[in-house]
């Protein structure tokens, strides 16, 4: 492990022959301490010279680095496939920003994976830079990870983040019940205005639907699962139909597979039911 990185081990737990490690580190881009979990499969212990593919999972509103890795049941199949998993936190914490803990959809646990530009948030809330640049560099420098074999998936706000990142940095992506059009849904517009200001033109680079509607770059493969009984869907906060329509404009560059799962809601009961499908989807590309 690199001695130049401020990286502290918090705990480790054996799991399906591999190990889940929790670390804390200082983030220069976020100007605060952050935590993440990393699962290393049995074929890639910490001291291994064998480098394995990695999946980054972005969690949703109110979540932290623990929700997915403790609730989704992903480690069994990841262990069999020989793929690592990284679960970062969803926002900076304890920054001293007034009101950062007051609203569930803005501030702590609600970074929306954007680089904030408003005066209140821009010093700490640089989550896009953290997820796309800083964290992968830290992971690949300190763990047996093949930096050329990585992809991203996520849930809800994290699904928005995963698709947005994959469209800006072309790759393989999947999502559970993503916030597909944050510029047009209540929970998204309030967050975007807070972090990026009232000018909607500044929101477009962080909106999956807006990015997809004009996408003409390297080919992107996307898998989306959506529960039919999802309260956020019924409230108009996900808008998957907007994304599907946008992809039609870029169908030569985007391959989209969507599944509506009857009777499923927005919870991790839904995520864990279909997690193996998503791991198989990524493994097909990561291990090719």
């Amino acid at each position: 492990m690199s001695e130049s990185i401020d990286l502290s081990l918090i705990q480790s737990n054996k799991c399906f022959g591999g190990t889940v490690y929790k670390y804390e580190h200082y983030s220069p881009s976020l100007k605060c301490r952050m935590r993440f979990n990393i699962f290393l499969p049995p074929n890639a212990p910490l001291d291994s010279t064998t480098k394995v593919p990695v999946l980054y999972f972005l969690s949703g509103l109110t979540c932290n680095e623990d929700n997915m890795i403790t609730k989704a049941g992903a480690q069994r199949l990841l262990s069999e496939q020989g793929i690592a998993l990284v679960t970062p936190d969803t926002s900076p914490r304890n920054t001293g920003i007034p009101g950062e803990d007051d609203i569930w959809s803005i501030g702590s646990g609600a970074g929306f994976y954007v680089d904030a530009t408003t005066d209140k948030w821009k010093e700490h809330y640089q989550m896009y830079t953290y997820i796309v640049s800083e964290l992968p560099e830290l992971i690949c420098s300190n763990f047996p990870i093949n930096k050329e074999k990585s992809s991203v998936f996520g849930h809800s706000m994290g699904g928005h983040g995963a698709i947005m990142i994959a469209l800006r940095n072309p790759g393989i992506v999947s999502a559970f019940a993503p916030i597909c059009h944050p510029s047009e849904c209540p929970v998204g517009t309030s967050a975007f205005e807070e972090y990026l200001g009232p000018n909607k033109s500044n929101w477009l680079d962080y909106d999956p639907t807006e990015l997809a509607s004009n996408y003409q770059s390297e080919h992107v493969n996307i898998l989306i699962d959506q529960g039919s009984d999802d309260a956020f869907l019924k409230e108009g906060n996900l808008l998957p139909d907007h994304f599907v329509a946008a992809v039609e404009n870029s169908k030569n560059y985007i391959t989209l597979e969507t599944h509506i799962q009857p009777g499923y809601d927005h919870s991790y009961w839904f995520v864990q039911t279909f997690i193996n499908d998503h791991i198989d989807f990524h493994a097909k590309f990561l291990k090719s």
Side-chain angles (χ1 to χ4, degrees):
M1 185 171 295
S2 172
E3 295 181 359
S4 63
I5 298 294
D6 173 22
L7 193 58
S8 302
L9 179 64
I10 304 299
Q11 68 181 54
S12 63
N13 299 93
K14 199 76 174 177
C15 186
F16 288 102
T19 305
V20 176
Y21 299 94
K22 178 187 287 291
Y23 285 93
E24 182 175 282
H25 71 105
Y26 179 78
S27 165
S29 56
L30 304 179
K31 296 182 175 61
C32 67
R33 298 197 68 78
M34 294 291 288
R35 290 187 172 189
F36 66 87
N37 295 300
I38 181 168
F39 169 72
L40 294 178
N43 62 324
L46 274 177
D47 59 355
S48 174
T49 57
T50 299
K51 296 188 176 183
V52 296
V54 62
L55 269 168
Y56 292 86
F57 186 90
L58 307 184
S59 288
L61 289 163
T62 74
C63 293
N64 59 25
E65 74 279 4
D66 291 332
N67 293 76
M68 183 272 189
I69 208 162
T70 58
K71 293 181 178 181
Q75 288 90 312
R76 181 191 61 78
L77 187 54
L78 290 169
S79 179
E80 295 173 4
Q81 293 275 14
I83 298 173
L85 171 70
V86 175
T87 62
D89 202 349
T90 54
S91 76
R93 306 273 177 175
N94 304 310
T95 65
I97 297 173
E100 68 180 332
D101 298 323
D102 292 352
I103 303 173
W104 68 274
S105 58
I106 296 171
S108 297
F112 265 86
Y113 305 102
V114 305
D115 280 351
T117 56
T118 56
D119 289 342
K120 180 176 180 178
W121 301 99
K122 66 182 181 181
E123 181 177 1
H124 295 286
Y125 277 66
Q126 301 293 306
M127 283 297 291
Y128 178 83
T129 294
Y130 177 72
I131 295 296
V132 171
S133 300
E134 182 184 327
L135 183 62
E137 181 178 347
L138 184 154
I139 294 297
C140 292
S141 297
N142 291 276
F143 301 96
I145 298 301
N146 183 347
K147 65 180 180 180
E148 304 300 327
K149 293 289 185 178
S150 69
S151 58
V152 61
F153 63 151
H155 172 229
S156 193
M157 177 188 72
H160 135 75
I163 296 172
M164 175 267 291
I165 287 169
L167 290 173
R168 291 181 60 170
N169 307 270
I172 311 306
V173 61
S174 71
F176 299 90
I179 298 174
C180 289
H181 203 178
S183 297
E184 296 295 335
C185 72
V187 72
T189 54
S190 61
F192 275 21
E193 183 164 3
E194 188 75 16
Y195 295 137
L196 304 171
N199 187 344
K200 288 192 173 184
S201 65
N202 296 329
W203 303 1
L204 303 185
D205 284 345
Y206 295 106
D207 189 310
T209 294
E210 300 297 333
L211 290 168
S213 66
N214 300 302
Y215 186 80
Q216 294 186 14
S217 186
E218 296 177 44
H219 198 87
V220 173
N221 288 274
I222 303 173
L223 168 65
I224 294 177
D225 271 286
Q226 173 64 61
S228 67
D229 285 4
D230 187 324
F232 283 90
L233 176 68
K234 295 176 179 180
E235 292 166 2
N237 273 313
L238 303 182
L239 304 178
D241 53 322
H242 291 204
F243 186 72
V244 171
V247 168
E248 278 297 306
N249 294 331
S250 304
K251 59 185 177 183
N252 292 331
Y253 302 93
I254 300 173
T255 298
L256 174 63
E257 179 181 351
T258 60
H259 301 146
I260 301 299
Q261 305 296 355
Y264 284 90
D265 58 18
H266 199 73
S267 71
Y268 269 91
W269 302 116
F270 160 62
V271 173
Q272 68 178 257
T273 301
F274 301 103
I275 190 70
N276 285 1
D277 295 340
H278 286 244
I279 293 172
D280 285 338
F281 172 80
H282 287 273
K284 179 173 61 176
F285 297 99
L286 291 175
K287 300 179 71 177
S288 62

